[in-house]
C-alpha cells in the first residue's frame, strides 16, 4: 500500500496537517480559557468555529474539488492555511483574541476544499482492492493524534505560549504544502460533457447522489450515527462524575484509552482488508457500538466502564472505514468531491443537533436514557444498512484508476 506514491505523499501530508491542527486547537483552547477564566460560553464558541465550516462549506468545497485539479488544490489549501496563521500572528498583538477564532474558521473552511481532493486522488490512483486499507490507515492516523495531539498541544503551549504554538502550526501547514508538491502532475481533465455552471454542477451532484441507492442508504446511516454520537459526546464528563463517582480530571484516562483502542482497531482492519467486506465492517461496528454505548450509560463499575470504552474504540474504526470505503466504491470519480461534500454535513449536522439537545434531554430524563437512546439509534443504523448487504458496487472498482 505504501508503495503507492499517492498514498505515501498524502499520508505524510496528513501527519503534518493533523499535528498542526491539534497544536493550534489546543493552544487556542487553553489560551482562551486562561483569558476568560474557564467561561463555558467561549469554550463552546471554539467548537462552533471548528464545526460550522463543515456544515456550510463542505458541499461547496466538494463541488469545486470536482472542478479543480486535486494536487494543485491541496497544495494551495495548505499554503493558504499557513498564510492565515501568519496573518493571525501579525494581528494578535494588535487585536483581541477573537482573531484566533477567525483564523481557525478560515483554516477550517479551506480544509473543506482540500479533503475532497484527497478522496479524488485515491479514487483515481489507488486500485479498488487497496481502498479499504487506505481508509484504515487514514483512520489510524486520526486515532494516533487523538492520543498524541492533546499531549503535544498542551505541552507546547504550557512551555512556550501561544505565539510559539502558532509559529509551529504555520510551519507544519507550510511543510504539508511542500510535501504535496512531490505528487505527480495532475492529469488533464476532459472537458467533454461537463457542466461549466457551478450551480448546475451542484444540482447534478445532488441528482447523482439521490439516484444512487447505495449513497442514499449511506446518507441515512450517516445521519443516524451522527445523531447518536452527538447525544453522548458532551456527556462523557457526567459518566465519570455521576456514574463512576470520580473527579472530572479522570476523564482524560478513558479518552486516551478509547483513542489508543481506535489506533489498534484501525490496524486490525488493515489486516482484514481483503477478507471482510465494508458492509460487514460497518454493521459490526454499529452493533458493537450500540451495545457498548448502552452499557456505558448503565455501568457504575470503573473497570467495566473502562473495558467498554476500549471495546467501543476498537470497533469505531469499522464504522468510519466502512462508510468511507463504501462511498468511494459506489461513486464515480467525477462526483467524489460533491458526494463527500454532501454526506459529511449530514453526519456533522445531525451530530451538532444531538449535542444541542443532549443536555436538555439528560436533565428531563436521565443519563441512562440518553445513552440507551444513542444505542438504539446505532442499531437503527444497522437496520437501514440491510439493502447494501447483497449489493455490488454501483461503479467499477477500477474506474478511474491510473
Amino acid at each position: 500500500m505504501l508503495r503507492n506514491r499517492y498514498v505515501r505523499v498524502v499520508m505524510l501530508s496528513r501527519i503534518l496537517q493533523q499535528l498542526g491542527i491539534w497544536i493550534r486547537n489546543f493552544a487556542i483552547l487553553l489560551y482562551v480559557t486562561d483569558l476568560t477564566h474557564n467561561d463555558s460560553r467561549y469554550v463552546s464558541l471554539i467548537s462552533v468555529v471548528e464545526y460550522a465550516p463543515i456544515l456550510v462549506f463542505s458541499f461547496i468545497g466538494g463541488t469545486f474539488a470536482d472542478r479543480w485539479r486535486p494536487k494543485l488544490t491541496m497544495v494551495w489549501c495548505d499554503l493558504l492555511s499557513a498564510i492565515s496563521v501568519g496573518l493571525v500572528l501579525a494581528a494578535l498583538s494588535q487585536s483581541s483574541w477573537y482573531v484566533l477564532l477567525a483564523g481557525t474558521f478560515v483554516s477550517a473552511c479551506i480544509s473543506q476544499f482540500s479533503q475532497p481532493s484527497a478522496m479524488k486522488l485515491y479514487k483515481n490512483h489507488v486500485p479498488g482492492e487497496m481502498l479499504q486499507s487506505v481508509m484504515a490507515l487514514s483512520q489510524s492516523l486520526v486515532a494516533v493524534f487523538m492520543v498524541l495531539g492533546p499531549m503535544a498541544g498542551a505541552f507546547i503551549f504550557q512551555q512556550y505560549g501561544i505565539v510559539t504554538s502558532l509559529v509551529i502550526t504555520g510551519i507544519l501547514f507550510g511543510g504539508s504544502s511542500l510535501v504535496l508538491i512531490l505528487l505527480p502532475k495532475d492529469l488533464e481533465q476532459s472537458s467533454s460533457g461537463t457542466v461549466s455552471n457551478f450551480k448546475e454542477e451542484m444540482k447534478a451532484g445532488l441528482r447523482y447522489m439521490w439516484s444512487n441507492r447505495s449513497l442514499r442508504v449511506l446518507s441515512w446511516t450517516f445521519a443516524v450515527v451522527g445523531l447518536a454520537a452527538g447525544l453522548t459526546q458532551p456527556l462523557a464528563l457526567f459518566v465519570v462524575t455521576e456514574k463512576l463517582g470520580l473527579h472530572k480530571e479522570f476523564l482524560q484516562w478513558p479518552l486516551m484509552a478509547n483513542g489508543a483502542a481506535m489506533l489498534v482497531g484501525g490496524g486490525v482492519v488493515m489486516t482484514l482488508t481483503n477478507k471482510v467486506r465494508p458492509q460487514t465492517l460497518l454493521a459490526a461496528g454499529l452493533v458493537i457500538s450500540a451495545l457498548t454505548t448502552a452499557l456505558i450509560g448503565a455501568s457504575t463499575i470503573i473497570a467495566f466502564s473502562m473495558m467498554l470504552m476500549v471495546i467501543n474504540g476498537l470497533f469505531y474504526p469499522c464504522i468510519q472505514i466502512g462508510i468511507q470505503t463504501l462511498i468511494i466504491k459506489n461513486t464515480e470519480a467525477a462526483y467524489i468531491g460533491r458526494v463527500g461534500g454532501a454526506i459529511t454535513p449530514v453526519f456533522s449536522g445531525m451530530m451538532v443537533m444531538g449535542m444541542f439537545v443532549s443536555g436538555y434531554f439528560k436533565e428531563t430524563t436521565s443519563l441512562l436514557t440518553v445513552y440507551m437512546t444513542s444505542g438504539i439509534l446505532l442499531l437503527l443504523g444497522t437496520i437501514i444498512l440491510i439493502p447494501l448487504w447483497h449489493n455490488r458496487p454501483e461503479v467499477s472498482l477500477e474506474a478511474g484508476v491510473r
Side-chain angles (χ1 to χ4, degrees):
M1 178 176 57
L2 291 177
R3 293 178 182 175
N4 186 299
R5 186 176 180 182
Y6 290 91
V7 176
R8 193 167 59 246
V9 172
V10 172
M11 288 301 171
L12 179 56
S13 166
R14 287 293 181 258
I15 290 172
L16 297 175
Q17 277 185 1
Q18 283 289 316
L19 188 55
I21 288 170
W22 274 104
I23 290 174
R24 179 199 64 197
N25 289 355
F26 244 75
I28 292 175
L29 175 63
L30 297 175
Y31 184 69
V32 170
T33 53
D34 285 347
L35 288 181
T36 62
H37 305 292
N38 299 317
D39 192 317
S40 60
R41 294 172 298 175
Y42 294 111
V43 173
S44 64
L45 185 60
I46 297 173
S47 297
V48 171
V49 166
E50 292 172 2
Y51 278 101
I54 300 176
L55 300 176
V56 177
F57 290 101
S58 184
F59 186 60
I60 296 173
T63 303
F64 275 114
D66 285 335
R67 293 162 62 98
W68 295 341
R69 296 181 179 181
K71 173 188 173 180
L72 198 60
T73 301
M74 295 167 70
V75 169
W76 273 105
C77 284
D78 283 352
L79 183 59
L80 289 173
S81 290
I83 293 172
S84 72
V85 174
L87 294 175
V88 168
L89 269 172
L92 185 58
S93 59
Q94 306 295 328
S95 307
S96 163
W97 60 265
Y98 285 102
V99 71
L100 292 171
L101 299 183
T104 301
F105 181 82
V106 170
S107 182
C109 290
I110 292 172
S111 70
Q112 302 312 308
F113 295 81
S114 175
Q115 291 172 3
S117 296
M119 297 281 279
K120 187 173 182 179
L121 281 178
Y122 290 151
K123 179 68 177 182
N124 285 336
H125 302 288
V126 176
E129 66 273 9
M130 290 175 56
L131 283 174
Q132 194 160 293
S133 294
V134 173
M135 294 299 101
L137 183 58
S138 298
Q139 183 61 39
S140 295
L141 278 180
V142 173
V144 167
F145 284 100
M146 283 186 67
V147 177
L148 301 180
M151 296 169 58
F155 175 80
I156 292 173
F157 175 78
Q158 290 168 353
Q159 295 294 320
Y160 305 106
I162 186 67
V163 172
T164 301
S165 297
L166 292 178
V167 168
I168 293 174
T169 298
I171 292 173
L172 289 168
F173 284 156
S176 175
S177 179
L178 291 175
V179 166
L180 289 169
I181 293 176
L182 299 175
L183 286 170
K185 184 179 179 181
D186 284 316
L187 297 172
E188 292 292 334
Q189 298 183 11
S190 172
S191 60
S192 59
T194 59
V195 184
S196 59
N197 183 275
F198 176 76
K199 185 177 179 181
E200 289 302 317
E201 287 192 7
M202 291 182 70
K203 291 180 179 178
L206 291 174
R207 285 195 298 269
Y208 174 82
M209 186 172 161
W210 186 252
S211 66
N212 187 312
R213 184 190 185 193
S214 298
L215 295 179
R216 288 201 310 271
V217 170
L218 288 171
S219 297
W220 283 109
T221 303
F222 229 16
V224 171
V225 172
L227 181 59
L231 284 175
T232 57
Q233 184 169 323
L235 303 181
L237 179 65
F238 299 100
V239 171
V240 170
T241 57
E242 294 183 10
K243 285 291 181 180
L244 303 181
L246 300 168
H247 293 294
K248 62 182 180 180
E249 290 78 11
F250 185 79
L251 178 62
Q252 62 179 313
W253 300 112
L255 291 181
M256 290 180 64
N258 184 265
M262 284 176 57
L263 174 60
V264 175
V268 171
V269 172
M270 278 193 283
T271 66
L272 300 175
T273 181
N274 294 321
K275 302 175 183 177
V276 182
R277 297 190 306 163
Q279 294 98 315
T280 306
L281 277 179
L282 179 53
L286 289 173
V287 170
I288 298 300
S289 294
L291 295 174
T292 55
T293 298
L295 290 172
I296 286 170
S299 173
T300 57
I301 303 171
I302 297 174
F304 185 54
S305 295
M306 289 289 288
M307 183 185 71
L308 290 171
M309 291 177 186
V310 168
I311 295 173
N312 187 282
L314 283 172
F315 281 86
Y316 183 77
C318 295
I319 299 176
Q320 291 294 332
I321 294 166
I323 287 180
Q324 294 297 332
T325 304
L326 285 168
I327 289 174
I328 293 180
K329 287 187 174 183
N330 287 281
T331 306
E332 296 175 19
Y335 291 93
I336 280 288
R338 280 166 284 183
V339 169
I343 289 182
T344 299
V346 170
F347 177 84
S348 301
M350 294 302 289
M351 185 172 70
V352 171
M353 185 182 300
M355 294 168 67
F356 184 76
V357 303
S358 64
Y360 177 78
F361 192 15
K362 172 187 174 294
E363 292 300 320
T364 55
T365 57
S366 68
L367 188 64
L368 175 59
T369 302
V370 177
Y371 272 77
M372 290 293 292
T373 302
S374 178
I376 292 170
L377 287 171
L378 290 169
L379 287 177
L380 177 60
T382 310
I383 296 171
I384 294 173
L385 194 64
I386 289 175
L388 295 187
W389 275 98
H390 303 294
N391 272 15
R392 291 182 176 273
E394 297 196 19
V395 297
S396 170
L397 296 185
E398 301 297 329
V401 176
R402 302 289 185 265

